[in-house]
Amino acid sequence: MASVQDFVAEKFEKKAEAEIKRTFDDLSDTNMATDELFSFADYNEEEAERTGYSDYSYWGSTVRLFLKNKGAVCMLIIMLAIIIFTFVQPHLPNQFDPNKANMNALFIPDRNIQPNSTYWWGTNSIGQDLWARIWAGTKTSLFIGFTVAVIEAIVGITMGVLWGYVRKLDFFFTELYNVIDNIPQTIVLILLSMILRPSIKTLIFAMTITGWIGMARFIRNQILIIRDRDYNLASRCLGTPTKKLVMKNLLPYLVSVIMLRMALAIPGAIGNEVFVTYIGLGLPSTTPSLGILINEGREVMMNASQRYQLIFPVVILSLVTISFYIIGNAFSDAADPKNHR
């Protein structure tokens, strides 16, 4: 019985040895094939840099996405044409003074002359050329709008970042917001316009003294959302300075919404100027603006032959406000990194 068991065990040992030998032979053949087909690559610094290269550009992608929106591009061209023409128009030949009454051959003011070859957009009730006054007024209103938007952006972004990022300032800014937000901006505009001397500076000051708080509140809410995200926590743990963290990690994330609010602030400021002038507390009559022109057109709009005095400034005002609204929304979508591929 023992001899049979020894015989079986010997057979199994020989079979196991044969399997092991075959396995080693296969591995040896595989290693030889691998050595023949593959070899270790030497380190090349230039090639290593190429593997980490990306042609992605944030602003390049933003511009490309914006240009795909044909409607926004069209409105941008119209808006740029209007802005450029407000500067070019006074230097064109045969242009009238926007503040000077024009006389006929009998030295009588050309009052309420309908559009013709001499007065392209007609004249008003004292003989002033509407073509010259409307473009001068558009320049004034755009200047007010851009200035107010820039000031609100600078002050609002600065205060909003401090409000949202510095926890110790949250109570102070919250109470300040509650006080200012409960005072209607219309009341502030009217009171300051009555107290101070009517001028462009007065209007800008009246609009910005409370206008920045809305931008600050919006930035604060956005900062609270992204302040404690993982990449910001990691940056703080690594000792990144607060200024660099805000400039590199927080504000770039908000570019799209900031540009949208700035684009909407411009027509908003122009609308406020029109309103204040409409109620007689805006700019003096010697400073043409869209508000003054619309107010003058309102007084004669019931007369069909003089209705052009209201139509032309309203058309320009509508183009400006609609253009900024469409451009702002399109640029906001284009500047959102989530839409980049």
Side-chain angles (χ1 to χ4, degrees), residues 47-54:
E47 294 296 327
E49 290 292 332
R50 288 181 59 189
T51 60
Y53 172 75
S54 173

Side-chain angles (χ1 to χ4, degrees), residues 236-250:
R236 287 202 293 270
C237 292
L238 292 172
T240 304
T242 302
K243 180 180 178 181
K244 185 176 181 180
L245 192 148
V246 170
M247 297 300 294
K248 298 293 185 179
N249 288 15
L250 300 181

Side-chain angles (χ1 to χ4, degrees), residues 89-103 110 118-120 122-124 126-137 285-288 293 296:
Q89 182 272 330
H91 304 288
L92 296 177
N94 302 323
Q95 298 298 305
F96 295 101
D97 188 335
N99 292 317
K100 182 179 179 181
N102 299 291
M103 306 291 181
D110 284 334
T118 302
Y119 305 112
W120 295 348
T123 62
N124 59 12
I126 60 175
Q128 294 171 327
D129 179 47
L130 279 182
W131 168 265
R133 284 184 65 79
I134 287 175
W135 289 116
S285 57
T286 55
T287 305
L293 293 166
E296 292 175 352

Side-chain angles (χ1 to χ4, degrees), residues 144 189 193 199-207 273 276 282-283:
I144 293 173
L189 287 173
S193 298
S199 65
I200 294 177
K201 293 180 180 179
T202 298
L203 282 180
I204 293 175
F205 176 72
M207 293 179 196
E273 182 270 322
V276 174
L283 299 174

Side-chain angles (χ1 to χ4, degrees), residues 75-131:
M75 299 308 294
L76 177 62
I77 293 173
I78 293 174
M79 193 66 254
L80 290 176
I82 291 175
I83 294 173
I84 294 172
F85 196 74
T86 58
F87 291 94
V88 173
Q89 182 272 330
H91 304 288
L92 296 177
N94 302 323
Q95 298 298 305
F96 295 101
D97 188 335
N99 292 317
K100 182 179 179 181
N102 299 291
M103 306 291 181
N104 57 23
L106 300 176
F107 297 99
I108 300 175
D110 284 334
R111 298 186 179 93
N112 299 321
I113 303 296
Q114 294 189 0
N116 55 38
S117 59
T118 302
Y119 305 112
W120 295 348
W121 284 356
T123 62
N124 59 12
S125 58
I126 60 175
Q128 294 171 327
D129 179 47
L130 279 182
W131 168 265

